[in-house]
Amino acid sequence: MKENDIATLVTPQIVRDFDADGVVLLRQAFAADWIEKLLVGIEKNIATPTARGRIWDRDENDCVCFFDNQAWLNIAEYREFVEQSAASEIAARVLNTKRVNFFYDAVFVRTPGAQFRTPFHQDEPYWSVEGFDTCSIWMPLVEVEKKSALEFVRGSHRWQNRFRQTNFAALTGDQRDQWASSPDDEYEAFPDIEGERDRYEILSWEMAPGDCALFNGRIIHGGSGNLSKDRELKVFNTQWLGDDVRVCFRKEGMDPDHSQLMTKLGLKPGDRIGTEVYPQFHLASV
Ligand SMILES: O=C(O)CCC(=O)C(=O)O
């Protein structure tokens, strides 16, 4: 399928919707050759996971979900996507800025029929950076039914609450998903979105390869999984950071916790992110 012109795709209305809702859908933002390349990358990634790669197998249908992150440093196809695709321009345009830094990539591969849903959570409170201007690009590389797509609580990126995030280790059984220390009591209990779905405006879409959902790192989101028996789900997600984002180490240190790596790279709390591990992309035309 043909890739759309990014300036035409990311209209002023899309920028406003992203700001107000915390999520927007772009149809056919990436051409088929990018999808094919990333699918090749995913096969390599599954065969040679990073030390952070893991397989979650607590699924009621005995299916699994492969997860890895920051694999772009090893997988040429991922690197090519990060450095040469329209992703950085999409992120910059929707964040209404001229430069963005790449933060990291994450892949989620569920086998056909997998039920395991990612619980509702926010991303930015897990990160080793803090700031409002973030954009994740969630791209399914296969067709995904609406019931299996990622879901977003519209506008929740602007809520001022500081929620205690999900302890993923309790769900996945993997100690790397465990908090390094319990989050402070000052955090509020996370709202029961799943149990009280009617109280929230939840957005999701049936999606095809080439489509992507752009979302703010503070929006409450969850889902995927709930797959039909004959449907797998392969997702490549990249996270991009804008102008107000600064390094911030949190003592709960949940994965993907980059604090040790950032310290090794000489990045300190309060710094704007950078280095070859978090490269900056400048967009003269934006
Ligand atoms: O696709 C998924 O299961 C989870 C995606 C997600 O929550 C994320 O990338 O932040």
Side-chain angles (χ1 to χ4, degrees):
M1 258 180 268
K2 203 176 155 314
E3 185 162 291
N4 277 304
D5 172 43
I6 300 309
T8 312
L9 213 53
V10 186
T11 59
Q13 186 60 47
I14 287 281
V15 176
R16 284 195 292 276
D17 289 349
F18 181 79
D19 189 53
D21 297 343
V23 61
V24 288
L25 173 71
L26 293 188
R27 295 272 183 215
Q28 294 309 299
F30 296 97
D33 49 352
W34 281 121
I35 307 301
E36 280 153 30
K37 212 177 271 283
L38 289 173
L39 285 168
V40 171
I42 281 188
E43 289 314 308
K44 287 189 190 171
N45 192 182
I46 291 172
T48 56
T50 72
R52 294 168 300 285
R54 62 200 70 175
I55 290 176
W56 292 318
D57 60 3
R58 295 197 169 174
D59 186 280
E60 64 195 67
N61 283 359
D62 291 334
C63 300
V64 299
C65 177
F66 170 80
F67 169 70
D68 208 346
N69 63 78
Q70 219 179 25
W72 78 287
L73 295 169
N74 313 341
I75 308 271
E77 290 78 5
Y78 292 179
R79 179 182 284 274
E80 207 179 310
F81 179 82
V82 168
E83 293 179 344
Q84 293 173 34
S85 79
S88 60
E89 182 180 346
I90 288 173
R93 284 190 183 274
V94 85
L95 290 170
N96 204 14
T97 184
K98 286 190 178 4
R99 55 180 190 168
V100 286
N101 285 81
F102 178 60
F103 189 17
Y104 69 93
D105 52 293
V107 296
F108 300 84
V109 180
R110 287 170 163 85
T111 53
Q115 297 302 296
F116 174 76
R117 281 167 59 85
T118 300
F120 281 104
H121 67 287
Q122 295 164 295
D123 284 344
E124 187 249 13
Y126 287 85
W127 288 345
S128 309
V129 294
E130 186 173 44
F132 183 77
D133 297 327
T134 66
C135 172
S136 294
I137 304 181
W138 190 86
M139 337 168 29
L141 306 176
V142 295
E143 305 269 346
V144 51
E145 296 172 284
K146 183 171 159 62
K147 69 171 177 134
S148 307
L150 202 59
E151 298 184 318
F152 303 89
V153 178
R154 186 177 188 178
S156 55
H157 64 309
R158 291 196 169 274
W159 297 355
Q160 293 304 308
N161 317 58
R162 293 181 68 213
F163 294 121
R164 200 173 308 121
Q165 300 296 317
T166 301
N167 184 1
F168 277 89
L171 290 153
T172 64
D174 192 315
Q175 280 314 298
R176 290 172 298 175
D177 297 327
Q178 181 69 34
W179 294 314
S181 70
S182 271
D184 290 339
D185 290 341
E186 73 198 62
Y187 290 88
E188 282 179 51
F190 202 84
D192 182 11
I193 309 286
E194 200 66 71
E196 299 180 303
R197 292 178 68 96
D198 292 350
R199 290 189 54 194
Y200 302 97
E201 191 175 354
I202 297 178
L203 300 176
S204 71
W205 303 271
E206 179 177 70
M207 292 170 73
D211 297 347
C212 59
L214 313 182
F215 64 96
N216 181 294
R218 288 187 183 167
I219 197 170
I220 294 180
H221 62 285
S224 297
N226 197 21
L227 294 174
S228 298
K229 276 209 278 303
D230 57 345
R231 294 290 189 107
E232 62 178 348
L233 183 52
K234 294 181 171 172
V235 169
F236 191 73
N237 188 10
T238 50
Q239 346 283 323
W240 302 85
L241 307 178
D243 291 330
D244 75 340
V245 179
R246 296 291 179 270
V247 172
C248 168
F249 299 149
R250 302 167 205 261
K251 69 176 183 327
E252 47 284 16
M254 289 177 283
D255 190 87
D257 176 18
H258 290 217
S259 55
Q260 284 184 11
L261 174 59
M262 288 180 178
T263 303
K264 215 190 284 173
L265 293 167
L267 292 167
K268 302 180 300 303
D271 285 352
R272 183 170 172 136
I273 200 165
T275 80
E276 73 284 1
V277 178
Y278 308 105
Q280 192 163 93
F281 294 83
H282 287 255
L283 302 170
S285 60
V286 175

mmCIF file of all heavy atoms in Angstrom, residues 193-235:
data_model
loop_
_atom_site.group_PDB
_atom_site.id
_atom_site.type_symbol
_atom_site.label_atom_id
_atom_site.label_comp_id
_atom_site.label_asym_id
_atom_site.label_seq_id
_atom_site.Cartn_x
_atom_site.Cartn_y
_atom_site.Cartn_z
ATOM 1 N N ILE A 193 -10.587 0.824 35.309
ATOM 2 C CA ILE A 193 -11.156 1.141 33.980
ATOM 3 C C ILE A 193 -11.914 -0.087 33.441
ATOM 4 O O ILE A 193 -13.049 0.029 32.967
ATOM 5 C CB ILE A 193 -10.039 1.526 32.973
ATOM 6 C CG1 ILE A 193 -9.105 2.605 33.536
ATOM 7 C CG2 ILE A 193 -10.642 1.915 31.624
ATOM 8 C CD1 ILE A 193 -9.651 3.976 33.606
ATOM 9 N N GLU A 194 -11.275 -1.233 33.560
ATOM 10 C CA GLU A 194 -11.864 -2.463 32.998
ATOM 11 C C GLU A 194 -13.193 -2.782 33.683
ATOM 12 O O GLU A 194 -14.165 -3.172 33.032
ATOM 13 C CB GLU A 194 -10.858 -3.609 33.214
ATOM 14 C CG GLU A 194 -11.044 -4.800 32.323
ATOM 15 C CD GLU A 194 -10.772 -4.497 30.858
ATOM 16 O OE1 GLU A 194 -9.611 -4.304 30.498
ATOM 17 O OE2 GLU A 194 -11.747 -4.459 30.084
ATOM 18 N N GLY A 195 -13.223 -2.589 35.005
ATOM 19 C CA GLY A 195 -14.420 -2.935 35.771
ATOM 20 C C GLY A 195 -15.548 -1.908 35.618
ATOM 21 O O GLY A 195 -16.700 -2.203 35.917
ATOM 22 N N GLU A 196 -15.188 -0.701 35.198
ATOM 23 C CA GLU A 196 -16.205 0.364 35.090
ATOM 24 C C GLU A 196 -16.106 1.041 33.729
ATOM 25 O O GLU A 196 -16.041 2.264 33.626
ATOM 26 C CB GLU A 196 -15.975 1.402 36.202
ATOM 27 C CG GLU A 196 -16.089 0.824 37.600
ATOM 28 C CD GLU A 196 -15.849 1.887 38.673
ATOM 29 O OE1 GLU A 196 -14.761 2.514 38.647
ATOM 30 O OE2 GLU A 196 -16.732 2.072 39.515
ATOM 31 N N ARG A 197 -16.084 0.244 32.704
ATOM 32 C CA ARG A 197 -15.839 0.762 31.356
ATOM 33 C C ARG A 197 -16.852 1.837 30.953
ATOM 34 O O ARG A 197 -16.514 2.765 30.219
ATOM 35 C CB ARG A 197 -15.846 -0.376 30.330
ATOM 36 C CG ARG A 197 -14.677 -1.329 30.473
ATOM 37 C CD ARG A 197 -14.768 -2.453 29.450
ATOM 38 N NE ARG A 197 -14.576 -1.981 28.107
ATOM 39 C CZ ARG A 197 -13.413 -2.005 27.444
ATOM 40 N NH1 ARG A 197 -12.331 -2.481 28.034
ATOM 41 N NH2 ARG A 197 -13.320 -1.554 26.219
ATOM 42 N N ASP A 198 -18.075 1.713 31.458
ATOM 43 C CA ASP A 198 -19.118 2.664 31.055
ATOM 44 C C ASP A 198 -18.829 4.084 31.525
ATOM 45 O O ASP A 198 -19.386 5.049 30.994
ATOM 46 C CB ASP A 198 -20.470 2.242 31.637
ATOM 47 C CG ASP A 198 -20.956 0.962 30.988
ATOM 48 O OD1 ASP A 198 -20.334 0.551 29.987
ATOM 49 O OD2 ASP A 198 -21.932 0.383 31.496
ATOM 50 N N ARG A 199 -17.986 4.196 32.537
ATOM 51 C CA ARG A 199 -17.717 5.537 33.084
ATOM 52 C C ARG A 199 -16.713 6.322 32.236
ATOM 53 O O ARG A 199 -16.484 7.497 32.473
ATOM 54 C CB ARG A 199 -17.150 5.412 34.509
ATOM 55 C CG ARG A 199 -18.169 4.926 35.514
ATOM 56 C CD ARG A 199 -17.630 5.034 36.902
ATOM 57 N NE ARG A 199 -17.162 6.378 37.222
ATOM 58 C CZ ARG A 199 -16.397 6.669 38.272
ATOM 59 N NH1 ARG A 199 -16.001 5.716 39.089
ATOM 60 N NH2 ARG A 199 -16.016 7.902 38.509
ATOM 61 N N TYR A 200 -16.061 5.629 31.302
ATOM 62 C CA TYR A 200 -14.974 6.284 30.554
ATOM 63 C C TYR A 200 -15.264 6.249 29.061
ATOM 64 O O TYR A 200 -15.967 5.364 28.580
ATOM 65 C CB TYR A 200 -13.646 5.553 30.834
ATOM 66 C CG TYR A 200 -13.311 5.533 32.304
ATOM 67 C CD1 TYR A 200 -13.620 4.416 33.088
ATOM 68 C CD2 TYR A 200 -12.738 6.636 32.921
ATOM 69 C CE1 TYR A 200 -13.350 4.402 34.449
ATOM 70 C CE2 TYR A 200 -12.461 6.633 34.284
ATOM 71 C CZ TYR A 200 -12.773 5.515 35.043
ATOM 72 O OH TYR A 200 -12.515 5.515 36.381
ATOM 73 N N GLU A 201 -14.657 7.203 28.367
ATOM 74 C CA GLU A 201 -14.752 7.162 26.909
ATOM 75 C C GLU A 201 -13.516 6.437 26.383
ATOM 76 O O GLU A 201 -12.394 6.960 26.474
ATOM 77 C CB GLU A 201 -14.838 8.577 26.336
ATOM 78 C CG GLU A 201 -15.199 8.541 24.877
ATOM 79 C CD GLU A 201 -15.415 9.917 24.275
ATOM 80 O OE1 GLU A 201 -15.404 10.920 25.021
ATOM 81 O OE2 GLU A 201 -15.558 9.993 23.050
ATOM 82 N N ILE A 202 -13.744 5.241 25.918
ATOM 83 C CA ILE A 202 -12.603 4.388 25.508
ATOM 84 C C ILE A 202 -12.554 4.337 23.980
ATOM 85 O O ILE A 202 -13.546 4.004 23.334
ATOM 86 C CB ILE A 202 -12.747 2.979 26.118
ATOM 87 C CG1 ILE A 202 -12.705 3.084 27.652
ATOM 88 C CG2 ILE A 202 -11.652 2.045 25.606
ATOM 89 C CD1 ILE A 202 -12.875 1.786 28.393
ATOM 90 N N LEU A 203 -11.380 4.690 23.446
ATOM 91 C CA LEU A 203 -11.214 4.728 21.989
ATOM 92 C C LEU A 203 -10.356 3.554 21.532
ATOM 93 O O LEU A 203 -9.345 3.228 22.166
ATOM 94 C CB LEU A 203 -10.511 6.023 21.561
ATOM 95 C CG LEU A 203 -11.195 7.334 21.913
ATOM 96 C CD1 LEU A 203 -10.310 8.518 21.513
ATOM 97 C CD2 LEU A 203 -12.545 7.427 21.210
ATOM 98 N N SER A 204 -10.744 2.937 20.434
ATOM 99 C CA SER A 204 -9.889 1.946 19.769
ATOM 100 C C SER A 204 -10.426 1.776 18.358
ATOM 101 O O SER A 204 -11.552 2.190 18.065
ATOM 102 C CB SER A 204 -9.891 0.609 20.512
ATOM 103 O OG SER A 204 -11.142 -0.024 20.356
ATOM 104 N N TRP A 205 -9.629 1.159 17.511
ATOM 105 C CA TRP A 205 -10.002 1.043 16.109
ATOM 106 C C TRP A 205 -9.571 -0.309 15.544
ATOM 107 O O TRP A 205 -8.501 -0.829 15.918
ATOM 108 C CB TRP A 205 -9.298 2.127 15.266
ATOM 109 C CG TRP A 205 -9.579 3.507 15.715
ATOM 110 C CD1 TRP A 205 -10.615 4.303 15.303
ATOM 111 C CD2 TRP A 205 -8.841 4.301 16.681
ATOM 112 N NE1 TRP A 205 -10.555 5.526 15.942
ATOM 113 C CE2 TRP A 205 -9.486 5.557 16.781
ATOM 114 C CE3 TRP A 205 -7.707 4.070 17.450
ATOM 115 C CZ2 TRP A 205 -9.026 6.569 17.624
ATOM 116 C CZ3 TRP A 205 -7.249 5.071 18.307
ATOM 117 C CH2 TRP A 205 -7.909 6.305 18.388
ATOM 118 N N GLU A 206 -10.353 -0.790 14.608
ATOM 119 C CA GLU A 206 -9.859 -1.889 13.777
ATOM 120 C C GLU A 206 -8.705 -1.312 12.962
ATOM 121 O O GLU A 206 -8.821 -0.184 12.469
ATOM 122 C CB GLU A 206 -11.000 -2.332 12.851
ATOM 123 C CG GLU A 206 -10.629 -3.447 11.928
ATOM 124 C CD GLU A 206 -11.849 -3.856 11.094
ATOM 125 O OE1 GLU A 206 -12.244 -3.057 10.223
ATOM 126 O OE2 GLU A 206 -12.386 -4.929 11.326
ATOM 127 N N MET A 207 -7.619 -2.032 12.849
ATOM 128 C CA MET A 207 -6.456 -1.442 12.161
ATOM 129 C C MET A 207 -5.848 -2.427 11.162
ATOM 130 O O MET A 207 -5.985 -3.638 11.306
ATOM 131 C CB MET A 207 -5.397 -1.003 13.200
ATOM 132 C CG MET A 207 -5.870 0.172 14.050
ATOM 133 S SD MET A 207 -4.796 0.545 15.457
ATOM 134 C CE MET A 207 -3.376 1.281 14.655
ATOM 135 N N ALA A 208 -5.177 -1.852 10.154
ATOM 136 C CA ALA A 208 -4.523 -2.653 9.116
ATOM 137 C C ALA A 208 -3.037 -2.296 9.106
ATOM 138 O O ALA A 208 -2.657 -1.222 9.584
ATOM 139 C CB ALA A 208 -5.138 -2.321 7.764
ATOM 140 N N PRO A 209 -2.187 -3.185 8.558
ATOM 141 C CA PRO A 209 -0.773 -2.831 8.452
ATOM 142 C C PRO A 209 -0.610 -1.491 7.719
ATOM 143 O O PRO A 209 -1.262 -1.268 6.696
ATOM 144 C CB PRO A 209 -0.182 -3.978 7.620
ATOM 145 C CG PRO A 209 -1.129 -5.118 7.825
ATOM 146 C CD PRO A 209 -2.488 -4.513 8.013
ATOM 147 N N GLY A 210 0.218 -0.627 8.251
ATOM 148 C CA GLY A 210 0.396 0.724 7.687
ATOM 149 C C GLY A 210 -0.289 1.773 8.543
ATOM 150 O O GLY A 210 0.112 2.932 8.574
ATOM 151 N N ASP A 211 -1.370 1.370 9.248
ATOM 152 C CA ASP A 211 -2.052 2.294 10.171
ATOM 153 C C ASP A 211 -1.237 2.397 11.461
ATOM 154 O O ASP A 211 -0.504 1.470 11.817
ATOM 155 C CB ASP A 211 -3.435 1.748 10.582
ATOM 156 C CG ASP A 211 -4.391 1.601 9.404
ATOM 157 O OD1 ASP A 211 -4.092 2.142 8.331
ATOM 158 O OD2 ASP A 211 -5.426 0.926 9.587
ATOM 159 N N CYS A 212 -1.406 3.491 12.181
ATOM 160 C CA CYS A 212 -0.768 3.581 13.495
ATOM 161 C C CYS A 212 -1.600 4.462 14.413
ATOM 162 O O CYS A 212 -2.308 5.368 13.953
ATOM 163 C CB CYS A 212 0.674 4.100 13.385
ATOM 164 S SG CYS A 212 0.813 5.714 12.634
ATOM 165 N N ALA A 213 -1.508 4.157 15.694
ATOM 166 C CA ALA A 213 -2.139 5.007 16.712
ATOM 167 C C ALA A 213 -1.013 5.802 17.365
ATOM 168 O O ALA A 213 -0.013 5.230 17.821
ATOM 169 C CB ALA A 213 -2.855 4.153 17.752
ATOM 170 N N LEU A 214 -1.164 7.131 17.362
ATOM 171 C CA LEU A 214 -0.180 8.001 18.023
ATOM 172 C C LEU A 214 -0.743 8.336 19.389
ATOM 173 O O LEU A 214 -1.903 8.760 19.482
ATOM 174 C CB LEU A 214 -0.003 9.302 17.248
ATOM 175 C CG LEU A 214 0.184 9.220 15.728
ATOM 176 C CD1 LEU A 214 0.383 10.621 15.167
ATOM 177 C CD2 LEU A 214 1.354 8.327 15.381
ATOM 178 N N PHE A 215 0.058 8.151 20.447
ATOM 179 C CA PHE A 215 -0.502 8.476 21.760
ATOM 180 C C PHE A 215 0.514 9.098 22.689
ATOM 181 O O PHE A 215 1.720 8.858 22.595
ATOM 182 C CB PHE A 215 -1.183 7.260 22.401
ATOM 183 C CG PHE A 215 -0.300 6.080 22.741
ATOM 184 C CD1 PHE A 215 0.212 5.927 24.027
ATOM 185 C CD2 PHE A 215 -0.019 5.102 21.813
ATOM 186 C CE1 PHE A 215 0.993 4.827 24.364
ATOM 187 C CE2 PHE A 215 0.762 3.995 22.131
ATOM 188 C CZ PHE A 215 1.269 3.863 23.417
ATOM 189 N N ASN A 216 -0.030 9.924 23.573
ATOM 190 C CA ASN A 216 0.771 10.622 24.575
ATOM 191 C C ASN A 216 1.145 9.622 25.681
ATOM 192 O O ASN A 216 0.308 8.807 26.091
ATOM 193 C CB ASN A 216 -0.080 11.775 25.134
ATOM 194 C CG ASN A 216 0.654 12.597 26.170
ATOM 195 O OD1 ASN A 216 0.981 12.118 27.246
ATOM 196 N ND2 ASN A 216 0.920 13.858 25.856
ATOM 197 N N GLY A 217 2.387 9.711 26.189
ATOM 198 C CA GLY A 217 2.866 8.764 27.202
ATOM 199 C C GLY A 217 2.104 8.807 28.513
ATOM 200 O O GLY A 217 2.266 7.919 29.348
ATOM 201 N N ARG A 218 1.269 9.839 28.698
ATOM 202 C CA ARG A 218 0.490 9.915 29.942
ATOM 203 C C ARG A 218 -0.936 9.385 29.775
ATOM 204 O O ARG A 218 -1.679 9.315 30.758
ATOM 205 C CB ARG A 218 0.429 11.360 30.446
ATOM 206 C CG ARG A 218 1.751 11.812 30.997
ATOM 207 C CD ARG A 218 1.670 13.177 31.651
ATOM 208 N NE ARG A 218 3.003 13.569 32.093
ATOM 209 C CZ ARG A 218 3.343 14.783 32.474
ATOM 210 N NH1 ARG A 218 2.446 15.750 32.467
ATOM 211 N NH2 ARG A 218 4.576 15.048 32.859
ATOM 212 N N ILE A 219 -1.334 9.027 28.558
ATOM 213 C CA ILE A 219 -2.720 8.575 28.408
ATOM 214 C C ILE A 219 -2.872 7.173 29.000
ATOM 215 O O ILE A 219 -1.941 6.348 28.919
ATOM 216 C CB ILE A 219 -3.168 8.595 26.919
ATOM 217 C CG1 ILE A 219 -4.694 8.526 26.827
ATOM 218 C CG2 ILE A 219 -2.529 7.459 26.128
ATOM 219 C CD1 ILE A 219 -5.240 8.782 25.424
ATOM 220 N N ILE A 220 -4.019 6.920 29.621
ATOM 221 C CA ILE A 220 -4.291 5.570 30.140
ATOM 222 C C ILE A 220 -4.663 4.681 28.949
ATOM 223 O O ILE A 220 -5.541 5.042 28.155
ATOM 224 C CB ILE A 220 -5.428 5.605 31.178
ATOM 225 C CG1 ILE A 220 -4.959 6.388 32.414
ATOM 226 C CG2 ILE A 220 -5.850 4.192 31.557
ATOM 227 C CD1 ILE A 220 -6.008 6.493 33.515
ATOM 228 N N HIS A 221 -3.954 3.573 28.832
ATOM 229 C CA HIS A 221 -4.208 2.663 27.710
ATOM 230 C C HIS A 221 -3.963 1.227 28.137
ATOM 231 O O HIS A 221 -3.252 0.968 29.104
ATOM 232 C CB HIS A 221 -3.331 3.034 26.507
ATOM 233 C CG HIS A 221 -1.852 2.922 26.769
ATOM 234 N ND1 HIS A 221 -1.157 3.847 27.523
ATOM 235 C CD2 HIS A 221 -0.941 1.993 26.401
ATOM 236 C CE1 HIS A 221 0.111 3.500 27.586
ATOM 237 N NE2 HIS A 221 0.276 2.368 26.926
ATOM 238 N N GLY A 222 -4.538 0.322 27.389
ATOM 239 C CA GLY A 222 -4.356 -1.105 27.668
ATOM 240 C C GLY A 222 -5.083 -1.883 26.597
ATOM 241 O O GLY A 222 -5.655 -1.306 25.674
ATOM 242 N N GLY A 223 -5.030 -3.188 26.694
ATOM 243 C CA GLY A 223 -5.747 -4.004 25.708
ATOM 244 C C GLY A 223 -4.824 -4.867 24.905
ATOM 245 O O GLY A 223 -3.922 -5.490 25.475
ATOM 246 N N SER A 224 -4.973 -4.861 23.584
ATOM 247 C CA SER A 224 -4.379 -5.889 22.731
ATOM 248 C C SER A 224 -4.912 -7.224 23.251
ATOM 249 O O SER A 224 -5.824 -7.261 24.054
ATOM 250 C CB SER A 224 -2.866 -5.854 22.757
ATOM 251 O OG SER A 224 -2.372 -4.643 22.251
ATOM 252 N N GLY A 225 -4.355 -8.312 22.853
ATOM 253 C CA GLY A 225 -4.864 -9.602 23.335
ATOM 254 C C GLY A 225 -6.310 -9.814 22.904
ATOM 255 O O GLY A 225 -6.764 -9.207 21.928
ATOM 256 N N ASN A 226 -6.998 -10.692 23.625
ATOM 257 C CA ASN A 226 -8.386 -10.989 23.278
ATOM 258 C C ASN A 226 -8.491 -11.391 21.804
ATOM 259 O O ASN A 226 -9.426 -10.994 21.100
ATOM 260 C CB ASN A 226 -9.230 -9.737 23.574
ATOM 261 C CG ASN A 226 -10.695 -10.036 23.658
ATOM 262 O OD1 ASN A 226 -11.066 -11.181 23.890
ATOM 263 N ND2 ASN A 226 -11.512 -9.030 23.451
ATOM 264 N N LEU A 227 -7.503 -12.158 21.346
ATOM 265 C CA LEU A 227 -7.424 -12.467 19.910
ATOM 266 C C LEU A 227 -8.352 -13.609 19.525
ATOM 267 O O LEU A 227 -8.515 -14.568 20.286
ATOM 268 C CB LEU A 227 -5.989 -12.874 19.533
ATOM 269 C CG LEU A 227 -4.909 -11.803 19.646
ATOM 270 C CD1 LEU A 227 -3.534 -12.404 19.383
ATOM 271 C CD2 LEU A 227 -5.176 -10.678 18.655
ATOM 272 N N SER A 228 -8.904 -13.510 18.331
ATOM 273 C CA SER A 228 -9.658 -14.638 17.783
ATOM 274 C C SER A 228 -8.671 -15.787 17.543
ATOM 275 O O SER A 228 -7.467 -15.553 17.389
ATOM 276 C CB SER A 228 -10.305 -14.248 16.453
ATOM 277 O OG SER A 228 -11.218 -13.196 16.681
ATOM 278 N N LYS A 229 -9.232 -17.013 17.472
ATOM 279 C CA LYS A 229 -8.369 -18.209 17.409
ATOM 280 C C LYS A 229 -7.379 -18.201 16.248
ATOM 281 O O LYS A 229 -6.270 -18.702 16.344
ATOM 282 C CB LYS A 229 -9.244 -19.474 17.298
ATOM 283 C CG LYS A 229 -9.752 -19.987 18.638
ATOM 284 C CD LYS A 229 -9.959 -21.485 18.626
ATOM 285 C CE LYS A 229 -11.267 -21.950 18.028
ATOM 286 N NZ LYS A 229 -12.506 -21.430 18.610
ATOM 287 N N ASP A 230 -7.804 -17.597 15.128
ATOM 288 C CA ASP A 230 -6.944 -17.617 13.939
ATOM 289 C C ASP A 230 -6.145 -16.311 13.774
ATOM 290 O O ASP A 230 -5.536 -16.092 12.736
ATOM 291 C CB ASP A 230 -7.812 -17.832 12.692
ATOM 292 C CG ASP A 230 -8.889 -16.756 12.570
ATOM 293 O OD1 ASP A 230 -9.144 -16.039 13.569
ATOM 294 O OD2 ASP A 230 -9.457 -16.617 11.462
ATOM 295 N N ARG A 231 -6.160 -15.455 14.791
ATOM 296 C CA ARG A 231 -5.474 -14.162 14.647
ATOM 297 C C ARG A 231 -4.271 -14.062 15.576
ATOM 298 O O ARG A 231 -4.405 -14.242 16.786
ATOM 299 C CB ARG A 231 -6.419 -13.014 15.000
ATOM 300 C CG ARG A 231 -7.574 -12.826 14.077
ATOM 301 C CD ARG A 231 -7.122 -12.306 12.725
ATOM 302 N NE ARG A 231 -8.297 -11.941 11.942
ATOM 303 C CZ ARG A 231 -8.664 -10.691 11.696
ATOM 304 N NH1 ARG A 231 -7.954 -9.682 12.137
ATOM 305 N NH2 ARG A 231 -9.733 -10.449 10.982
ATOM 306 N N GLU A 232 -3.110 -13.735 14.984
ATOM 307 C CA GLU A 232 -1.940 -13.386 15.797
ATOM 308 C C GLU A 232 -1.893 -11.858 15.863
ATOM 309 O O GLU A 232 -2.654 -11.173 15.169
ATOM 310 C CB GLU A 232 -0.664 -13.936 15.154
ATOM 311 C CG GLU A 232 -0.415 -13.345 13.784
ATOM 312 C CD GLU A 232 0.851 -13.821 13.113
ATOM 313 O OE1 GLU A 232 1.703 -14.457 13.760
ATOM 314 O OE2 GLU A 232 0.983 -13.550 11.904
ATOM 315 N N LEU A 233 -0.981 -11.327 16.664
ATOM 316 C CA LEU A 233 -0.820 -9.863 16.688
ATOM 317 C C LEU A 233 0.655 -9.528 16.817
ATOM 318 O O LEU A 233 1.321 -9.974 17.756
ATOM 319 C CB LEU A 233 -1.616 -9.261 17.850
ATOM 320 C CG LEU A 233 -1.591 -7.724 17.961
ATOM 321 C CD1 LEU A 233 -1.981 -7.050 16.654
ATOM 322 C CD2 LEU A 233 -2.513 -7.246 19.068
ATOM 323 N N LYS A 234 1.154 -8.805 15.826
ATOM 324 C CA LYS A 234 2.554 -8.376 15.850
ATOM 325 C C LYS A 234 2.556 -6.861 15.848
ATOM 326 O O LYS A 234 2.033 -6.240 14.902
ATOM 327 C CB LYS A 234 3.294 -8.894 14.614
ATOM 328 C CG LYS A 234 3.412 -10.408 14.602
ATOM 329 C CD LYS A 234 4.167 -10.912 13.405
ATOM 330 C CE LYS A 234 4.438 -12.398 13.573
ATOM 331 N NZ LYS A 234 5.004 -13.036 12.385
ATOM 332 N N VAL A 235 3.137 -6.282 16.876
ATOM 333 C CA VAL A 235 3.100 -4.821 17.029
ATOM 334 C C VAL A 235 4.511 -4.288 17.199
ATOM 335 O O VAL A 235 5.312 -4.845 17.965
ATOM 336 C CB VAL A 235 2.262 -4.430 18.267
ATOM 337 C CG1 VAL A 235 2.433 -2.956 18.581
ATOM 338 C CG2 VAL A 235 0.795 -4.759 18.045
#
